[in-house]
Amino acid sequence: MTYRNPPTTPRKSAIFDDYTLSEIRRAAATGIYDIRGAGAKRKLPHFDDLLFLGASISRYPLEGYRERCDTSVVLGARHARKPIELKIPITIAGMSFGSLSGPAKEALGRGASLSGTSTTTGDGGMTEEERGHSKTLVYQYLPSRYGMNPRDLRRADAIEVVVGQGAKPGGGGMLLGQKISDRVAEMRTLPKGIDQRSASRHPDWTGP
């Protein structure tokens, strides 16, 4: 005789909606988390949602409008020999070469330079397209050492040390094998055509 647990009604959550709970139950039952394109699964903030408080960017004007207020930011003013000066307090976060193409990295570098801010290499290493068109380029250094190159490290304007990956739930960042071209495989010292996770090396890879 086979005994089965009596079915129970799914509990409501004060944090997640019914659709999110159904996705969690599906992933728990199948062991597969959802990877798909067609944009984000949740509504993201728009530039119109940003609110800048002038009193937080500059000193409070004590004598009418004589105090100058702008959006410029200086990073490393206390200890850096070459502080980084940005025109706006918004930077482009790291997106890896591999998940993004060379032309896309070039476009980010051009856009960041026009806006007076910095862009970040991500965990795929530095590309010539990005370095050539980025006035200020931050090199992302990861525990996985993906794309780590001492020469490129010296060519960067700043270094961002990644301690942990907390922005992505489930399996973390995934780089599909179909995106690992000859160039990506060479930069990352990885086998071509095998799915890779950005947090660590593939368990089947025995390279350096």
Side-chain angles (χ1 to χ4, degrees):
M1 180 179 297
T2 303
Y3 293 94
R4 294 182 179 179
N5 294 327
T8 58
T9 302
R11 295 177 58 185
K12 294 291 184 179
S13 172
I15 301 176
F16 302 115
D17 56 20
D18 291 341
Y19 176 77
T20 303
L21 291 175
S22 66
E23 282 292 293
I24 293 174
R25 289 192 292 269
R26 181 198 58 77
T30 62
I32 302 174
Y33 68 96
D34 202 4
I35 302 177
R36 60 189 175 195
K41 300 178 184 178
R42 62 184 177 86
K43 183 179 178 181
L44 298 176
H46 191 268
F47 280 103
D48 294 338
D49 298 323
L50 297 176
L51 175 63
F52 295 101
L53 301 178
S56 300
I57 298 176
S58 179
R59 293 183 298 173
Y60 189 77
L62 300 178
E63 301 180 12
Y65 295 95
R66 294 177 60 183
E67 294 285 347
R68 180 174 177 268
C69 180
D70 59 28
T71 58
S72 61
V73 177
V74 179
L75 304 178
R78 294 181 59 189
H79 304 292
R81 294 182 179 178
K82 297 180 179 179
I84 293 178
E85 298 182 7
L86 305 178
K87 293 182 180 179
I88 58 176
I90 302 174
T91 62
I92 299 179
M95 291 174 278
S96 68
F97 173 65
S99 61
L100 298 184
S101 64
K105 300 294 282 185
E106 177 181 336
L108 289 176
R110 288 177 178 270
S113 298
L114 289 173
S115 302
T117 187
S118 65
T119 185
T120 310
T121 61
D123 59 6
M126 180 188 295
T127 63
E128 292 300 324
E129 295 93 331
E130 192 171 28
R131 177 65 280 185
H133 295 90
S134 299
K135 181 180 179 181
T136 304
L137 181 60
V138 180
Y139 194 96
Q140 194 175 74
Y141 188 91
L142 292 93
S144 61
R145 304 190 304 278
Y146 275 152
M148 168 55 190
N149 187 314
R151 173 177 173 270
D152 291 338
L153 196 65
R154 297 184 184 95
R155 296 169 64 199
D157 300 295
I159 299 173
E160 178 183 277
V161 179
V162 178
V163 178
Q165 186 182 41
K168 299 177 182 178
M174 175 70 75
L175 179 60
L176 300 179
Q178 63 193 34
K179 287 189 173 184
I180 302 181
S181 61
D182 292 333
R183 182 182 177 189
V184 174
E186 180 181 359
M187 288 183 62
R188 296 192 178 214
T189 319
L190 292 173
K192 182 180 178 181
I194 297 180
D195 294 348
Q196 300 293 328
R197 289 181 178 173
S198 62
S200 62
R201 294 187 180 274
H202 194 279
D204 295 336
W205 177 239
T206 58

